[in-house]
Amino acid sequence: MAPPASACDIALLLAVDVSGSVDAQEYRIQMDGLAAGLRDGVVVEALIKAEAAVALMQWTGERRQQVSVPWTRVRNTIEAEALAVAVEQMPRAWTKYSTAIGDALWRGADLIEQAPECRRKVIDVSGDGVSNEGIEPSEGRSRLDNLGVTVNALVIETDEADLTGYFWENVITGSGAFVVTANGFADYPARIRQKLIREVAEQFADNR
């Protein structure tokens, strides 16, 4: 008789903005910062305790979303390091397209439906601009609401007027949803670590 499947507390989809407003250096900052966050001791411990499932999707314009890291379980330090390496070494999918947040959320819903069975389902969206192509973010958000998915955001403020407010009003959804703001790309590594701790470590502790 097969043993029961391991309990999973969180399925976490990392949705990374690679639109044309993100240059090569800024893309590298995002990937290196995210890999460092996934190697952080607090984050690693929380992912393992949660027996988490993590995937990464690059997104930009309409119909341009790529699953760069498929659903990956994190149940020990070896699996955690393999995930960080995959993120660190991930080639960029696109360089010159628009920002279709609604399409990214809709595709994220498809991926969440394919995730391992986990108690919580969370999409972590990063972005440095408002949606300017594709379906409205509200359409993707409504579908995710119906699936019981929480959408959090990491906003990279550059030159948009109150981009943080835009994401609060148009993108995030679900119980306890929140926005973390990075003041430019240089601030991204510290903020993604803060966000991962809040999503995985603090939420896991609250639900024990």
Side-chain angles (χ1 to χ4, degrees):
M1 183 176 179
S6 297
C8 173
D9 182 70
I10 183 172
L12 176 63
L13 174 61
L14 303 167
V16 180
D17 180 2
V18 295
S19 57
S21 59
V22 178
D23 67 26
Q25 181 181 8
E26 292 164 347
Y27 172 79
R28 193 70 265 151
I29 289 171
Q30 283 192 95
M31 292 303 101
D32 289 348
L34 183 52
L38 291 168
R39 287 189 172 107
D40 180 84
V42 175
V43 174
V44 170
E45 181 180 10
L47 288 170
I48 292 171
K49 285 183 177 179
E51 301 186 37
V54 182
L56 187 145
M57 177 184 75
Q58 296 184 60
W59 65 273
T60 174
E62 189 176 7
R63 297 187 301 277
R64 289 185 172 88
Q65 305 88 33
Q66 176 179 288
V67 181
S68 301
V69 178
W71 287 110
T72 302
R73 294 298 296 272
V74 181
R75 293 159 294 197
N76 54 56
T77 56
I78 293 173
E79 292 178 339
E81 176 60 17
L83 174 63
V85 169
V87 170
E88 195 170 48
Q89 297 180 352
M90 185 177 65
R92 183 170 180 168
W94 298 280
T95 60
K96 60 182 180 181
Y97 292 101
S98 299
T99 302
I101 298 174
D103 288 65
L105 294 176
W106 194 271
R107 177 64 175 136
D110 292 340
L111 295 174
I112 284 288
E113 290 186 316
Q114 300 164 16
E117 187 61 38
C118 299
R119 190 181 63 81
R120 292 189 293 136
K121 297 176 180 179
V122 178
I123 297 180
D124 178 338
V125 180
S126 69
D128 75 336
V130 301
S131 191
N132 56 23
E133 186 175 271
I135 66 173
E136 290 297 319
S138 59
E139 292 187 47
R141 183 170 67 174
S142 177
R143 182 181 173 197
L144 289 162
D145 272 334
N146 291 334
L147 292 173
V149 178
T150 296
V151 179
N152 300 321
L154 195 160
V155 171
I156 305 163
E157 292 276 10
T158 52
D159 55 4
E160 290 282 354
D162 193 19
L163 187 60
T164 297
Y166 175 85
F167 271 73
W168 272 106
E169 293 175 9
N170 297 280
V171 179
I172 68 167
T173 190
S175 176
F178 64 92
V179 177
V180 170
T181 301
N183 294 312
F185 279 88
D187 194 32
Y188 177 91
R191 298 299 161 230
I192 191 63
R193 175 185 178 275
Q194 173 190 348
K195 190 165 186 288
L196 288 169
I197 289 173
R198 184 169 174 182
E199 280 171 332
V200 183
E202 294 180 7
Q203 292 288 339
F204 181 73
D206 290 344
N207 288 289
R208 293 295 287 173

